[in-house]
Amino acid sequence: MSVSHRGPFPASRPRRLRSKAFARALVSENRLSPADLIYPVFVLEGSGECEAVPSMPGVERLSIDLLIAKAREAQGLGIPAFALFPVVGQNQKSLDAAAAYAPDGLVQRAIAELKSAVPELGVITDIALDPYTTHGQDGIIDEAGYVINDVTTDTLVRQALSHAEAGADVVAPSDMMDGRIGAIRDTLEREGHINTMILAYAAKYASSYYGPFRDAVGSSENIKGGDKKTYQMDPANSDEAVHECALDIAEGADMIMIKPGMPYLDVVRRIKETLQVPTFAYQVSGEYAMHQAAFANGWLERDAVTLESLLAFKRAGADGVLTYFALDAARLLQG
Ligand code: PBG
């Protein structure tokens, strides 16, 4: 169709490159692939156990046997790695979080079984004490409830070493204690785990988007309206994120994580441009829950919005995304 029109003509027609599918494909700048995705999973004791998480529709807590089936499925879809989060009973929680580094603990067994059943799938473990403390804070507290940095770090080092010994490929400290990356790296080196990678949650904000996760791991009751503002970062800050990431890299982190994700894409972009290191972002539980709520109401189109939300991370400069949508997205990308 050509409709004649006598000027004035636009000096530039950006729509020209959008006018045909082949041209749109040629000039497309970013692409999402299953290889960009990390799948977070919640592991429970028992066998054949599968519990829904009400605030996270589609997410289930699974016992190790069922987790292995999921791992096979994820690997078949081209997802490179799992991030493992434990759901432990109240009887495993204490003030000193000693269950965090038990050699035969739930996470340690899950790592070993995953690595033996699906060896090619990367296993990333969370280093933080919140699943194991009676108060739900990520560390060990004093009488005033303040998380004591260096005492907590000693426990995190034991937790990380126990994960490395169980066969974890990547340990991911998400606790925000000062100096913990250096301390963990030092111990891993000394104990011969020279190729165990560290993915540092270097810029982790004191966000209100973590609520559904705390339901999933059963720490919301314990934390009872408390917050983590004395160690997680102020959402108002971004210079501080650069500083935190630079410190963690200098201390021996191989990769860094920005968390939450979508509300913090400016931070992802800034870190990637400033530091040029492998940078990941975590589309957290609250982001997932918002999407699911809108999908369930028919307010947003599930498949298209899922993929658009993840592509945004790539455009911002992330090398990959940790997302509860990983399996769904990988299926869509393959199909
Ligand atoms: C705890 C941890 C949290 C998340 C991952 N690891 C919660 C918190 O800091 O309270 C949140 C992830 C999510 O919301 O999906 N170390």
Side-chain angles (χ1 to χ4, degrees), residues 203-284:
K204 176 168 177 179
Y205 286 87
S207 171
S208 299
Y209 284 97
Y210 305 148
F213 174 95
R214 294 179 190 168
D215 294 341
V217 297
S219 68
S220 346
E221 280 298 296
N222 299 338
I223 199 155
K224 282 193 287 287
D227 62 53
K228 303 188 177 182
K229 290 180 183 167
T230 71
Y231 47 104
Q232 297 178 350
M233 287 174 38
D234 181 346
N237 298 349
S238 122
D239 287 350
E240 192 187 0
V242 179
H243 185 58
E244 279 280 7
C245 292
L247 281 173
D248 285 1
I249 293 293
E251 288 176 32
D254 303 287
M255 306 175 269
I256 52 177
M257 179 73 83
I258 314 295
K259 177 181 178 185
M262 295 177 75
Y264 294 81
L265 290 180
D266 59 313
V267 178
V268 173
R269 162 61 62 191
R270 190 167 172 198
I271 296 298
K272 188 67 184 175
E273 282 185 349
T274 311
L275 299 175
Q276 283 139 16
V277 294
T279 301
F280 294 81
Y282 196 143
Q283 187 182 47
V284 301

Side-chain angles (χ1 to χ4, degrees), residues 4 10 13 78 89-90 110 127 232 275 277 303:
S4 67
R13 293 191 187 272
Q90 287 296 334
I127 305 301
Q232 297 178 350
L275 299 175
V277 294
D303 295 354

